[in-house]
Amino acid sequence: DAKTTQPNSMESNEEEPVHLPCNHSTISGTDYIHWYRQLPSQGPEYVIHGLTSNVNNRMASLAIAEDRKSSTLILHRATLRDAAVYYCIGGATNKLIFGTGTLLAVQP
Amino acid sequence: EAGVTQFPSHSVIEKGQTVTLRCDPISGHDNLYWYRRVMGKEIKFLLHFVKESKQDESGMPNNRFLAERTGGTYSTLKVQPAELEDSGVYFCASSQVQGWNYGYTFGSGTRLTVV
C-alpha cells in the first residue's frame, strides 16, 4: 500500500473552490487513489477514486499527476456541509489504510 | 436503498463485561468490513467477510474479539472481556463487489466506552 502525505488542515470560504493535495510518491502502477471523507459524528464516506486519468463525479473531481506521485481532490464550490476530514488512500488491497487526513474548515 | 446500519450507536460498559456490536450491511452486499478508531489514533482495519467467510482477519487485535456473520447477512463483533483500551468508535462497511476499487459504504459507527 502506498504511503500518503496530506496537510493536517486547510481552510476555505463558502462557495469557493477547494484543492486538497495528496502526495503518494511510493504508489505502484496498479494502485488506485481513493478519497474518503468523514463528517463529524459519521462514518467515512466514499468521495471518488481514480488510477491515471482525471475523474469527475457529482461530489468532486480528482486530478492525478502524470507521474502519479500526487493527486488533488477538487471541490468546485465548498459548502458548510463539506467541512470534514478528507482522507487520501493509495493501495490495491481490500483494506483501506487511513492516515490522519486533512481537516477542512469552511468559513461562511 | 437503506445504508449500513449499526447498533447500538453508543455503549458504555464496565471493564471485564461483554459487549456485542451489530452491523447490517446494505442488502445484497456480500463484502462486509469492520474498522475501528481508538482514542487519538487513526481508523484501522479489523477484518473482512465475504458472505459468511472471513477473508482477512489480520487486523483483529487479540482473541478477546470475535466476529461472526452467520448466514452471510448481518455481522456481530463481540468483545469479551472488554478492556479500557477497547474504547473507541467501531465502524462497519459493506460493498457489493470484492475489491476496493468500487468504494465502500460505511455505517455511522458504534461508540464504545469501557469504564
Side-chain angles (χ1 to χ4, degrees):
Chain A
D1 294 318
K3 177 174 169 54
T4 60
T5 304
Q6 300 177 252
N8 288 333
S9 63
M10 290 184 65
E11 261 194 28
S12 173
N13 294 319
E14 200 175 8
E15 298 191 6
E16 290 186 356
V18 183
H19 291 232
L20 297 162
C22 178
N23 287 322
H24 31 78
S25 58
T26 62
I27 200 167
S28 74
T30 56
D31 288 353
Y32 275 73
I33 300 142
H34 281 234
W35 285 80
Y36 281 75
R37 71 180 185 181
Q38 187 174 18
L39 280 65
S41 301
Q42 294 190 27
E45 175 187 28
Y46 169 79
V47 177
I48 200 166
H49 77 278
L51 184 61
T52 55
S53 304
N54 294 345
V55 185
N56 301 293
N57 66 21
R58 64 176 179 80
M59 290 181 70
S61 295
L62 177 60
I64 302 172
E66 198 170 326
D67 62 7
R68 298 203 345 113
K69 293 185 184 303
S70 66
S71 62
T72 302
L73 179 70
I74 303 165
L75 307 180
H76 296 285
R77 288 182 70 222
T79 69
L80 297 179
R81 294 184 65 230
D82 290 322
V85 179
Y86 286 78
Y87 298 98
C88 167
I89 303 170
T93 70
N94 286 320
K95 298 179 228 187
L96 293 174
I97 310 297
F98 288 87
T100 54
T102 297
L103 175 61
L104 175 66
V106 181
Q107 304 300 327
Chain B
E1 65 181 0
V4 176
T5 305
Q6 293 186 245
F7 48 95
S9 56
H10 293 83
S11 180
V12 180
I13 63 171
E14 292 185 352
K15 176 182 171 181
Q17 288 186 325
T18 297
V19 64
T20 300
L21 314 180
R22 174 168 168 150
C23 169
D24 285 62
I26 292 173
S27 178
H29 281 195
D30 288 340
N31 295 275
L32 187 149
Y33 311 82
W34 284 97
Y35 287 77
R36 75 170 181 175
R37 183 205 297 274
V38 296
M39 188 64 68
K41 299 293 182 69
E42 295 154 13
I43 300 172
K44 297 286 190 186
F45 167 85
L46 295 179
L47 87 159
H48 168 209
F49 282 101
V50 177
K51 297 184 180 179
E52 67 275 9
S53 299
K54 292 175 185 174
Q55 184 80 2
D56 181 353
E57 51 184 331
S58 61
M60 296 288 267
N62 52 60
N63 59 10
R64 295 186 294 102
F65 289 76
L66 175 64
E68 295 180 321
R69 193 182 182 196
T70 307
T73 54
Y74 70 91
S75 174
T76 58
L77 180 65
K78 180 190 289 187
V79 185
Q80 179 182 30
E83 298 289 345
L84 299 178
E85 63 263 26
D86 300 331
S87 295
V89 183
Y90 289 76
F91 295 105
C92 175
S94 72
S95 66
Q96 187 170 30
V97 180
Q98 187 169 355
W100 73 316
N101 294 327
Y102 298 90
Y104 302 150
T105 303
F106 280 81
S108 296
T110 294
R111 180 173 295 279
L112 174 65
T113 303
V114 183
V115 297

